[in-house]
Amino acid sequence: MKNDGISYGPLVEQLVLLVLATAGLGAILASGFYIFSILFVPLVGLCIYRIIRRYGESIRRVTFMFNAIDNDDLTFRFRDDEAEADNRMLNTALNRIKEIIVRAKLRAEERERYYQLIMECARTGLVTVNDAGSVYQANGEALRIFGLPRMTHIRQTETSMPEACRALQEIRTGQRLHVKEMTEAGEVNLSLTCAEIMLDQKRLRVIAVSDIDDYLAQTQIESWSKLTRILTHEIMNSLAPITSLSDTLLHLGRPLDTDVAQGLETISATSRRLTAFVETFRRFTRIPEPQKAPVEVRGLLERAAALVATPQVGITVDVQPAEMLVYADEGLVSQVVVNLLKNAREAVAAQPDARIDVRARIDEGENIRIDVTDNGKAIPAAVTENIFTPFFTTKADGSGIGLSVSRRIMQLHNGSLRLTSNTDRRVTFTLLFE
């Protein structure tokens, strides 16, 4: 008898021999020739013994295999070259079972690596925790948001982000929580959602944490842009006839009353100043679409530094690797860097050891990061909440659109501009090109 190339003959032969011996013994006993039963009893016993022995050996091998699998040890292999065909058949079958399990395990590991890669590529922080707060898994974005090198328990966030820690503990399936934190780098806005799963008979919560600062900033800037376009359009429509009419009256070619002439000159001058003021605001809504091309980062930063540096304020530029390139609109990005350097120069003007450092690196996510750091005083909390708000300024002659325009330019490059450090002697604005 054959099946998949494996011989079942020896086992069948033993069974047939046992049946024949048993039938012969029964026939002798039935005929009354008991003395002849002595010939068949040993044969029956031998057949039963051999079958029981083979059964026991099979059970031991199967038990050994299951114990090894239970201990996650799949290095075993049974000999498939034994002389006895039935042992060879069993060993071959057990080895085949092991190979099926190994393939299934490899497929599971591949799927796990695939899902892990998806988690790491996600722009949303993902944290898996149990009811006690222990962290089973946290992706790179979650670690970045919470500023941790690794995360084993949600209490690790309590010192730097107490509100976020409380939200991680309290959030449950279907809830959406918004958290606002004040950190050294300024205000951070987080959105948290939660789902529950059962894994290895344990209930786990999968918490998605999103840093919505960029989204809020983009929404805010778009709203301000629309409002500014409407207001400047209406103001210009109203100013244009006033300016034109006052100029016409002033140049009629005939003498005017002194008071009338002065009034018309005042109206004309005021309308021109208002026009110039509105044109400044119009710049906020007239940012051209970036014309991107490969740009050498070191050259761009050094040229911007040369425009801003003074004998009193030194600017150092450090770019690693030195040949770093960024795919961007050089003119627009230079405008951002120059604006940040000018702000930094004003911030350190009163410092006897005034210093500005510009540092460019490639971060862990293969993004280009440019840090502009000065050693001035920390920006007050009341100011950091609004520094990127259009038309907000603390300068007497400022328009309040410099940082807003800079952030908008970075958003048009699919990047971001943030205040990433805000302490005395270390204030850092970071440009990130993704």
Side-chain angles (χ1 to χ4, degrees), residues 387-407:
I387 55 175
F388 292 108
T389 301
F391 317 127
F392 173 83
T393 181
T394 58
K395 303 174 185 177
D397 58 347
S399 64
I401 64 171
L403 287 176
S404 301
V405 169
S406 297
R407 173 174 269 190

Side-chain angles (χ1 to χ4, degrees), residues 314-316 340-341 344 348 355-359 370-376 420-421 423 425-430:
I315 301 176
T316 60
L340 293 177
L341 290 175
V348 300
R355 188 182 71 256
I356 300 174
D357 297 319
V358 183
R359 186 172 183 265
I370 301 175
D371 294 324
V372 178
T373 304
D374 65 68
N375 63 341
T420 54
S421 178
T423 59
R425 310 284 297 177
R426 185 175 180 81
V427 177
T428 302
F429 284 86
T430 297

Side-chain angles (χ1 to χ4, degrees), residues 47-240:
C47 291
I48 294 174
Y49 166 75
R50 294 188 65 181
I51 291 175
I52 292 175
R53 189 188 68 176
R54 293 188 183 282
Y55 174 77
E57 289 177 353
S58 301
I59 291 296
R60 282 194 296 273
R61 295 181 193 187
V62 172
T63 302
F64 172 83
M65 182 190 70
F66 283 121
N67 287 337
I69 294 172
D70 193 41
N71 292 318
D72 201 23
D73 178 11
L74 297 176
T75 60
F76 68 88
R77 182 172 182 81
F78 296 101
R79 293 181 57 186
D80 50 12
D81 59 351
E82 291 196 13
E84 296 186 13
D86 49 351
N87 285 339
R88 187 165 62 250
M89 174 189 68
L90 176 61
N91 290 351
T92 302
L94 295 179
N95 288 334
R96 185 177 178 186
I97 292 173
K98 186 201 79 167
E99 291 168 359
I100 293 172
I101 294 173
V102 168
R103 287 197 297 270
K105 184 179 179 181
L106 290 175
R107 286 195 296 269
E109 290 175 351
E110 289 175 356
R111 285 195 295 269
E112 184 177 353
R113 287 193 295 270
Y114 170 70
Y115 295 132
Q116 181 67 31
L117 180 61
I118 291 176
M119 282 188 64
E120 290 302 324
C121 292
R123 298 301 304 273
T124 298
L126 298 172
V127 183
T128 305
V129 301
N130 62 11
D131 290 335
S134 296
V135 176
Y136 279 61
Q137 197 169 23
N139 69 348
E141 180 65 10
L143 297 178
R144 185 197 67 79
I145 290 173
F146 295 121
L148 298 171
R150 60 191 301 268
M151 193 173 180
T152 58
H153 200 282
I154 58 178
R155 281 198 299 267
Q156 290 175 261
T157 64
E158 190 169 12
T159 302
S160 58
M161 293 185 172
E163 292 298 325
C165 180
R166 189 175 301 111
L168 289 172
Q169 291 173 331
E170 295 175 356
I171 192 168
R172 290 295 181 269
T173 299
Q175 289 184 319
R176 179 183 292 273
L177 301 180
H178 294 280
V179 176
K180 182 181 292 187
E181 290 277 9
M182 289 303 299
T183 66
E184 291 183 353
E187 185 177 271
V188 177
N189 290 281
L190 303 178
S191 175
L192 290 80
T193 57
C194 178
E196 290 187 357
I197 62 171
M198 293 296 296
L199 182 65
D200 295 334
Q201 298 182 343
K202 297 176 183 177
R203 188 178 67 172
L204 300 177
R205 288 179 295 142
V206 180
I207 304 173
V209 185
S210 301
D211 185 349
I212 57 176
D213 269 339
D214 287 341
Y215 172 77
L216 293 176
Q218 183 171 353
T219 303
Q220 184 185 54
I221 288 177
E222 288 176 354
S223 299
W224 276 107
S225 296
K226 292 177 182 178
L227 177 61
T228 302
R229 281 195 295 269
I230 294 171
L231 291 177
T232 54
H233 177 74
E234 294 299 325
I235 292 173
M236 292 299 288
N237 283 347
S238 300
L239 282 176

Side-chain angles (χ1 to χ4, degrees), residues 250-317:
L250 281 171
H251 299 89
L252 285 176
R254 62 171 183 261
L256 296 174
D257 183 82
T258 303
D259 292 338
V260 173
Q262 289 178 346
L264 290 174
E265 289 176 355
T266 300
I267 292 172
S268 178
T270 301
S271 63
R272 292 182 188 282
R273 284 196 299 271
L274 285 173
T275 300
F277 178 75
V278 172
E279 283 297 333
T280 300
F281 281 178
R282 271 187 168 178
R283 293 204 330 257
F284 179 70
T285 62
R286 288 180 176 174
I287 302 173
E289 190 68 24
Q291 303 300 311
K292 298 180 182 179
V295 179
E296 184 185 10
V297 175
R298 177 178 289 278
L300 183 151
L301 297 179
E302 288 179 345
R303 287 189 289 273
L307 292 173
V308 179
T310 66
Q312 295 77 28
V313 181
I315 301 176
T316 60
V317 175

